[in-house]
Amino acid sequence: MKKYLILRAVLAAMVLTSCGGTPETEIAAALAELIPASLELNVVYFGEGLPISSDRETAEAFYESMGAGAEISLNYHPVSPDAPYQSIDEIKAATLEVFSDAYADYLFTMAFEGLSTVFDEGTEMQVTKNVSYARYLETGGVMTVRMNIHEEAFPLNRTYDPADFHVIREKDGYILVEVQSYVDGVSDERIEVKLVRNADGAFRLDSPTY
């Protein structure tokens, strides 16, 4: 009888392992790593952005090298040498360590190319209008930041407790979880966070956290 019960327990465990999906310990580890990292990147993409250089000589040398280009008319300025990222490639590399390829592509377009919308598409009245200009431009090896991005910056006052989550569903190559969030340190709503695996099997966020 004892052997029978043990065998039943083993079979039940096999069924749970095969049907239960990703272990919650693995999900918890991914959230604990990815959510804090995403909050840092939110500053770059949605917040005040990278700090500008206060060195006058650096700025003057940059503007002299550019002449009267578009970057000047749009008021771009070199980033500070103390900024955590000194090139667009560095920002992209850090982003791909946290976010899925699909969500990263959106961030890259918004931050480095700008967003636009088309009205009356396919007609003689078609017109394209800029929704927002690029946050960052890199010219002559110098990365610059648009000086007025503070006007569109999100508050970014939401934080999370990555350990306080539950899985909503796991299907079609993604996992959807709810994570407890806080606004200005006060308990707020539970936010849905989507996880997907990248090509090497590591989890990445496929949704915003701001």
Side-chain angles (χ1 to χ4, degrees):
M1 186 63 166
K2 185 176 181 181
K3 290 182 178 179
Y4 173 73
L5 292 175
I6 292 174
L7 180 60
R8 273 189 74 181
V10 171
L11 290 174
M14 291 174 65
V15 171
L16 288 173
T17 300
S18 61
C19 300
T22 306
E24 288 201 359
T25 52
E26 186 178 356
I27 297 173
L31 293 173
E33 177 183 356
L34 297 175
I35 288 181
S38 75
L39 299 184
E40 295 181 10
L41 287 168
N42 285 345
V43 176
V44 176
Y45 287 107
F46 301 106
E48 296 287 339
L50 295 176
I52 66 171
S53 173
S54 59
D55 183 70
R56 183 172 178 176
E57 291 184 5
T58 299
E60 289 178 349
F62 171 74
Y63 289 128
E64 287 177 3
S65 70
M66 288 303 302
E71 289 81 3
I72 297 175
S73 64
L74 291 176
N75 205 16
Y76 286 82
H77 194 86
V79 301
S80 169
D82 297 328
Y85 307 104
Q86 294 295 316
S87 70
I88 288 177
D89 283 345
E90 289 181 5
I91 298 177
K92 287 184 173 181
T95 302
L96 290 170
E97 289 293 317
V98 177
F99 293 107
S100 67
D101 290 347
Y103 189 65
D105 282 344
Y106 161 73
L107 294 175
F108 296 161
T109 299
M110 176 193 68
F112 311 129
E113 299 176 24
L115 299 176
S116 59
T117 187
V118 178
F119 297 94
D120 297 320
E121 187 172 3
T123 71
E124 293 182 358
M125 301 296 292
Q126 178 173 319
V127 61
T128 301
K129 291 188 177 181
N130 288 321
V131 176
S132 65
Y133 292 102
R135 283 189 150 223
Y136 307 95
L137 294 176
E138 191 169 338
T139 307
V142 178
M143 186 164 71
T144 64
V145 57
R146 181 159 47 84
M147 302 251 324
N148 66 340
I149 61 174
H150 64 278
E151 297 174 1
E152 60 198 48
F154 291 7
L156 300 183
N157 55 350
R158 186 179 299 278
T159 56
Y160 295 81
D161 179 3
D164 186 356
F165 74 94
H166 74 265
V167 177
I168 299 175
R169 63 177 173 272
E170 179 175 358
K171 60 181 293 187
D172 300 330
Y174 73 89
I175 301 174
L176 190 65
V177 301
E178 275 190 349
V179 185
Q180 180 61 50
S181 76
Y182 300 80
V183 174
D184 294 326
V186 178
S187 181
D188 197 65
E189 62 184 315
R190 299 180 73 85
I191 301 295
E192 291 188 0
V193 175
K194 187 177 180 182
L195 292 168
V196 297
R197 292 188 186 274
N198 66 4
D200 64 7
F203 276 121
R204 294 292 184 265
L205 296 176
D206 193 45
S207 57
T209 56
Y210 52 80

